[in-house]
Amino acid sequence: MPLESTGLDADFSSGSDKPIIARELIFGLILLAPILFLAMGPMLGLSIDTWLDAHTNQALQLLFTSILIITCGYSIFSRGMKSLISGHLNMFTLITIGVTAAYIYSATATLLPGFFPEEFHDPRTSLVHSSFDACAMIIVLVLIGQMLENLARIKTGSELRSLLSLAPTTARLVTEHEEKDVPLHDVHPGDHLRVRPGETIPVDGTVTEGTSFVDESFITGEPSPVIKNRNDEVVAGTRNGRGSFILIAEKTGSETLLARIITLVRTAQRSRAPVQKMADAVAGVFIPIVLSIALATFIGWLLLGCHPSLPYAIVSSVSVLVIACPCAIGLATPMSIIVGIGRAAREGVLFKDAESLETLGQSKRLMIDKTGTITAGRPTVTDVILFGDQTEQEVLSFAAAIELKSEHPIATAICQASRKHDLKPLQEADSFLATAGSGVEGTVAGQAVGIGNEAFLKKQRVPLNELTDFQKAAKPLRASGKMITGVVIDHRVAGLLAITDPVKPGAQSAIDKLKHLGLTVTMLTGDHSDSADVIARSVGIDHYKASLTPQEKHRLITESHAHGEQPIMVGDGMNDAPALAAATVGIAMGTGSDVAIETADVTLIRGDLQLLPHAIQLSRTTLLNIRQNLFLAFCYNIIGIPLAAGILVPVLGSNWQVTPIFAATAMSLSSVFVITNALRLRTVTICTDTNQLTL
């Protein structure tokens, strides 16, 4: 399945939505110009009445406004009517009611001026004042707000579209008889592809022939190209240097890392955070309150207002409906979420949904795996201790035959040690069985072979004296921080393999930053407590749990939930999957197993632990930005609604009467403020050395 650009474009309004809104906005502005000219020209001292009588002027305003509403306002009014019919009130509900009220009043004033009492009529023109300019301005300003939101989404999604463009449309297929270019969607796992100098790698795979330097900056963030030799993995979207090589395709289309990155971010930006649901609930209560205030304003001015009371009642109630439009409230959360997730993706952090972005910054409890997470995940066999009659080469050959079927980092280390001795596995293992977090076993050349930790060896029913000898040999090695695994052949301990896995560069710094952010960090590992203690102390972790099975890791997460905590779990392996799934937020290393990545809520693409405190602080910064937006939106309404209701008119005079057109302008400006504040997330500095936020 090839990468498709249409889905991404649609999600970021770069497809059909943008041209439609742009056309509506352009046509609306063209119609708005004569409406404002006709309505406001006399106020600005223009002698319009010398060549156009007042009745014709108002009739033309009616004509232009009607056309504008039918053409440019159709989508707005249809959404407003649907909300009224369904009972799911939103910002378009108030826009529809407000504009409709102003339009009906103005049309009646134009067509049936005799309906209104004498005090409504202008003494000079004998006409009743209309608000066509306000109707038109409201619609155009709403379209401007939608266009600004679209542009913000497009700007935020530009990085993802850049990633999408990395995928080539063709690949160079190598067969026994020829080489030819084929469409990318015709490439399947197992195909051999040639990558020529300067070309973009089309799929995820492994180099089988040749060597070259590859630019992996979009994944690793490192600008320096990385050399790729035989058996090295390459990723779709990375760019080849001057060399040429052949790769075997392993993951194609939607299965590639590039496609998964795009899909994850696209899904996340379309999701809704819990705080958004709260904002929606508030808006559902807010709108009936506004309608009640508008009705109370109308009745109050009608009964108690200054003479003539009816014009004041109509203008004030319509202004309340317009100024209270919750556009800013509706934009407050989704705009921040969109920008925050987009920035995270650009910096190497993938959120599966908006909820994980919100929740990550709220947790104070973090549990983290050791191997492949704190350590580099590139273990090396350093010591081989023999207990039986087998030679070192025989022990490694048996072990490699079993571990060939495992994707665990320790399995990789054993296979590499075997290759260093130029050994070939005896034969492929039969009856392969893996026990997560414990060991693997199978049959090789008719002999039962098991490889695993001390607990695994006990289950293999090895003699007690051999187990004791194994423990004695393992103790000093564990004290130096090495991982220990045993090789059992036909229920006898054949050898001990000591494996070292260096701590990732920057791991200690990352742990320090996590502590500064107020998190309690606990390391969870299936390794022995002696080895765990060495690693924990080296990176500054005060709490750890060792010799854990995947089930025990899962139990610790559920216990944390039971204590009212919101635990974060960080891991990379298949054995971490149950804990990742149970955690409030599961975080996987992008360099880890597919199972862990699929299970987790967040993925650190480069597997760099330094990204973890950055992601947490970005989450907190995004939440702060949302709160700022909601504060701005509600403050605007708290101030604007009383002013629109005319609360200052009895004290300060009619000059403080808020007209519908002024209300429409204020409403749109509040949306602009919210969008602008959300866009600040793109460039704001994220500080991970303190728990304090500045935005």
Side-chain angles (χ1 to χ4, degrees):
M1 187 177 183
L3 291 171
E4 299 287 349
S5 61
T6 54
L8 183 66
D9 291 344
D11 287 332
F12 291 99
S13 304
S14 60
S16 60
D17 287 348
K18 180 189 171 187
I20 291 173
I21 294 174
R23 286 196 299 268
E24 289 180 346
L25 178 58
I26 292 171
F27 192 55
L29 289 170
I30 293 172
L31 291 170
L32 178 64
I35 295 171
L36 292 179
F37 176 75
L38 294 169
M40 304 180 70
M43 303 178 192
L44 300 174
L46 300 176
S47 302
I48 297 178
D49 54 353
T50 59
W51 52 274
L52 188 69
D53 67 88
H55 293 81
T56 304
N57 182 327
Q58 201 155 315
L60 287 173
Q61 291 184 54
L62 171 61
L63 175 64
F64 288 132
T65 304
S66 300
I67 296 172
L68 189 148
I69 289 175
I70 293 171
T71 54
C72 305
Y74 175 78
S75 60
I76 297 172
F77 276 75
S78 63
R79 294 172 72 175
M81 292 304 298
K82 287 178 182 177
S83 70
L84 284 170
I85 294 171
S86 65
H88 296 99
L89 306 181
N90 54 43
M91 67 178 184
F92 294 100
T93 310
L94 284 180
I95 294 172
T96 300
I97 294 174
V99 173
T100 301
Y103 179 80
I104 291 174
Y105 164 75
S106 302
T108 305
T110 302
L111 300 175
L112 300 170
F115 177 78
F116 295 88
E118 190 64 31
E119 59 266 22
F120 274 60
H121 294 254
D122 188 319
R124 187 174 59 88
T125 63
S126 72
L127 295 176
V128 179
H129 178 72
S130 65
S131 296
F132 291 119
D133 52 348
C135 296
M137 181 66 79
I138 291 169
I139 292 174
V140 170
L141 289 174
V142 170
L143 290 174
I144 290 174
Q146 289 183 306
M147 192 65 187
L148 288 173
E149 183 183 357
N150 264 320
L151 291 173
R153 288 175 179 268
I154 292 168
K155 191 174 182 181
T156 301
S158 60
E159 295 88 0
L160 295 185
R161 284 190 295 278
S162 298
L163 287 177
L164 188 64
S165 67
L166 293 175
T169 57
T170 62
R172 186 76 173 175
L173 180 65
V174 180
T175 65
E176 291 183 8
H177 308 291
E178 62 176 344
E179 293 187 12
K180 61 179 181 178
D181 291 329
V182 298
L184 188 58
H185 57 77
D186 288 340
V187 176
H188 305 285
D191 288 344
H192 286 78
L193 307 175
R194 181 177 294 281
V195 182
R196 291 167 291 190
E199 289 186 335
T200 299
I201 296 171
V203 299
D204 294 357
T206 300
V207 177
T208 61
E209 181 182 324
T211 186
S212 184
F213 283 87
V214 175
D215 180 1
E216 296 183 330
S217 56
F218 98 84
I219 295 176
T220 64
E222 297 295 329
S224 302
V226 180
I227 190 169
K228 296 293 182 180
N229 297 305
R230 189 173 180 270
N231 295 324
D232 287 338
E233 294 181 350
V234 290
V235 177
T238 56
R239 183 169 291 276
N240 184 30
R242 297 182 179 180
S244 175
F245 60 87
I246 295 176
L247 64 86
I248 183 170
E250 294 173 349
K251 295 179 180 179
T252 63
S254 60
E255 299 299 317
T256 65
L257 176 61
L258 176 61
R260 289 163 64 186
I261 290 172
I262 294 168
T263 301
L264 280 171
V265 179
R266 181 173 58 203
T267 303
Q269 291 191 321
R270 295 175 61 186
S271 63
R272 296 160 64 84
V275 70
Q276 174 65 44
K277 298 173 184 176
M278 180 193 71
D280 292 343
V282 170
V285 175
F286 174 75
I287 292 172
I289 292 174
V290 170
L291 294 176
S292 301
I293 293 173
L295 180 61
T297 298
F298 180 84
I299 296 171
W301 275 106
L302 197 63
L303 299 177
L304 306 173
C306 50
H307 185 76
S309 59
L310 186 58
Y312 281 107
I314 293 174
V315 170
S316 297
S317 57
V318 171
S319 296
V320 168
L321 292 173
V322 174
I323 206 168
C325 171
C327 296
I329 297 175
L331 291 171
T333 298
M335 283 306 306
S336 297
I337 291 293
I338 289 168
V339 177
I341 287 175
R343 172 169 178 173
R346 188 172 73 246
E347 295 173 347
V349 181
L350 296 182
F351 288 92
K352 279 189 177 180
D353 52 43
E355 184 173 357
S356 58
L357 175 65
E358 177 182 338
T359 311
L360 180 61
Q362 299 173 342
S363 180
K364 298 293 185 180
R365 188 85 162 93
L366 186 142
M367 300 184 185
I368 185 169
D369 174 53
K370 178 177 76 70
T371 305
T373 306
I374 294 175
T375 63
R378 295 189 295 272
T380 303
V381 176
T382 59
D383 303 88
V384 179
I385 298 177
L386 304 175
F387 295 93
D389 298 330
Q390 289 86 0
T391 64
E392 181 176 332
Q393 289 77 9
E394 289 173 333
V395 169
L396 287 174
S397 293
F398 274 106
I402 292 288
E403 297 289 15
L404 278 173
K405 293 190 173 184
S406 175
E407 64 173 12
H408 196 279
I410 290 178
T412 303
I414 293 172
C415 292
Q416 286 177 343
S418 176
R419 285 195 292 269
K420 282 183 180 179
H421 287 78
D422 293 325
L423 301 175
K424 295 183 179 180
L426 297 177
Q427 64 179 56
E428 189 171 330
D430 298 321
S431 307
F432 178 82
L433 176 65
T435 305
S438 182
V440 294
E441 58 188 303
T443 303
V444 180
Q447 293 182 277
V449 181
I451 306 169
N453 57 24
E454 197 171 297
F456 181 81
L457 264 61
K458 292 178 181 178
K459 294 178 181 178
Q460 296 294 305
R461 304 188 305 276
V462 300
L464 184 59
N465 64 313
E466 293 184 9
L467 183 62
T468 302
D469 292 340
F470 178 89
Q471 292 170 334
K472 289 179 180 178
K475 189 172 182 179
L477 295 169
R478 286 198 183 104
S480 64
K482 294 180 179 181
M483 296 177 287
I484 305 299
T485 189
V487 181
V488 178
I489 301 176
D490 285 338
H491 306 290
R492 302 293 300 270
V493 179
L496 177 154
L497 306 180
I499 299 166
T500 184
D501 188 11
V503 172
K504 285 183 177 179
Q508 183 175 356
S509 173
I511 298 299
D512 288 341
K513 289 176 180 178
L514 291 168
K515 290 179 177 179
H516 281 299
L517 294 177
L519 279 86
T520 301
V521 183
T522 302
M523 187 180 77
L524 308 181
T525 179
D527 204 0
H528 195 276
S529 60
D530 291 342
S531 301
D533 183 70
V534 173
I535 298 298
R537 283 190 286 107
S538 69
V539 296
I541 293 178
D542 301 318
H543 311 284
Y544 66 88
K545 300 285 185 179
S547 302
L548 298 175
T549 64
Q551 293 76 17
E552 289 171 331
K553 289 184 180 180
H554 178 272
R555 177 178 55 78
L556 288 171
I557 295 293
T558 56
E559 288 177 354
S560 180
H561 279 298
H563 289 115
E565 299 172 331
Q566 294 181 303
I568 302 169
M569 175 65 195
V570 188
D572 79 314
M574 183 173 65
N575 61 319
D576 298 316
L580 291 171
T584 302
V585 180
I587 302 176
M589 299 287 119
T591 51
S593 71
D594 290 345
V595 175
I597 293 171
E598 291 297 327
T599 306
D601 305 294
V602 183
T603 301
L604 308 182
I605 297 177
R606 302 191 296 270
D608 184 0
L609 210 56
Q610 292 276 13
L611 290 172
L612 181 54
H614 183 82
I616 292 172
Q617 197 71 334
L618 177 60
S619 167
R620 295 178 180 180
T621 304
T622 303
L623 282 177
L624 177 61
N625 189 266
I626 291 173
R627 295 189 186 101
Q628 289 175 342
N629 285 344
L630 291 173
F631 178 80
L632 287 170
F634 281 111
C635 280
Y636 153 78
N637 280 287
I638 290 171
I639 297 171
I641 290 175
L643 289 176
I647 194 172
L648 296 180
V649 173
V651 180
L652 301 176
S654 59
N655 288 334
W656 285 84
Q657 175 72 55
V658 176
T659 63
I661 191 167
F662 179 86
T665 304
M667 177 267 294
S668 296
L669 285 175
S670 69
S671 298
V672 171
F673 288 149
V674 166
I675 292 172
T676 303
N677 189 53
L679 288 175
R680 290 198 304 122
L681 279 172
R682 289 175 54 87
T683 56
V684 67
T685 301
I686 305 295
C687 182
T688 56
D689 294 324
T690 175
N691 199 20
Q692 302 299 315
L693 294 178
T694 57
L695 185 59

